[in-house]
Amino acid sequence: FLGFFQPPAPGVMPPRNTVDLVEVTLPDSPDAWRAAGFDVDPTGAFVTGGIWFRCLDAPGSDVMLGFTAMPSGAGTMEMVDGVPCYQVKRQPSKKALTHPNKVTSLDHLVLRTDDVSRTRKGLALLGLRPNRETTAVRMGVHMLFYRLNSTIIEVTGPAKVAPQSDGKTKVWGLTFTSRDLDATHAALPEVTKAPWKAVQKGRRITTISGDKSALSMAVAFLSPYVKDPDAGQDRDEADAQRAREQESQLSKL
């Protein structure tokens, strides 16, 4: 949720993910997302970074994900390790909108699971392969990162699977990229804090406070991507150190 992904070191070729995420169907009301600074149209939809977001106004429903390809083809809803997924025939949108909150794209989508290995198998059925895997950044947390054309899917779960689990994965949060994070905070002063350092080197982050929002999931905003010259060199150790620094900083906010 805090922006861990970096491209691999020079000369290292990651797995290629040709399947892309092009639509996210949300259970929330359009007004909830308008209050978060998004330009939601009269049909309850908005687009950023080529991905369409559609607000169903159906509290309690699951988030549904639309991909460019599915094993069973179009017209069928499939549960991928508990996450409803479907095929969208069209390609990612090229429509560009300027949202009041300065968001330009979806940096990453977070799937939270009780069994990372099980979720990996489910995503593999979609043709997705992780570009990065680590258990070293946060203590007791197993993380997978899938690089798509439109965004990144981040999978997080316990490093050790508990004997008793609900066997279900859920869309836990969305992190958007803002072209001006200070302006994002200025546009949403009642529900966000002043930005602080993100785990990803050179970036900052702020989040929407859950108790002050009608959104059904965690939502964060990151400053634009900055190339990390140290990516690929003791990467896990560097990220772990920045994660500890971030936790210390957050405790003081």
Side-chain angles (χ1 to χ4, degrees), residues 32-102:
W33 285 91
R34 291 188 184 104
F38 290 91
D39 185 8
V40 183
D41 70 22
T43 71
F46 64 94
V47 63
T48 186
I51 301 175
W52 279 98
F53 295 81
R54 303 190 181 280
C55 305
L56 287 185
D57 197 6
S61 299
D62 291 327
V63 178
M64 296 180 284
L65 304 180
F67 292 92
T68 52
M70 292 288 293
S72 61
T76 303
M77 183 73 69
E78 294 186 41
M79 299 300 287
V80 179
D81 198 33
V83 179
C85 298
Y86 55 96
Q87 182 172 328
V88 180
K89 290 185 177 180
R90 56 179 170 74
Q91 293 300 304
S93 172
K94 295 183 179 179
K95 185 176 181 181
L97 288 177
T98 300
H99 294 281
N101 59 15
K102 310 303 179 185

Side-chain angles (χ1 to χ4, degrees), residues 48-50 53 102-108 150-151 175-178:
T48 186
F53 295 81
K102 310 303 179 185
V103 159
T104 58
S105 63
L106 178 66
D107 187 88
H108 60 282
S150 61
T151 189
T175 296
F176 296 92
T177 300
S178 166

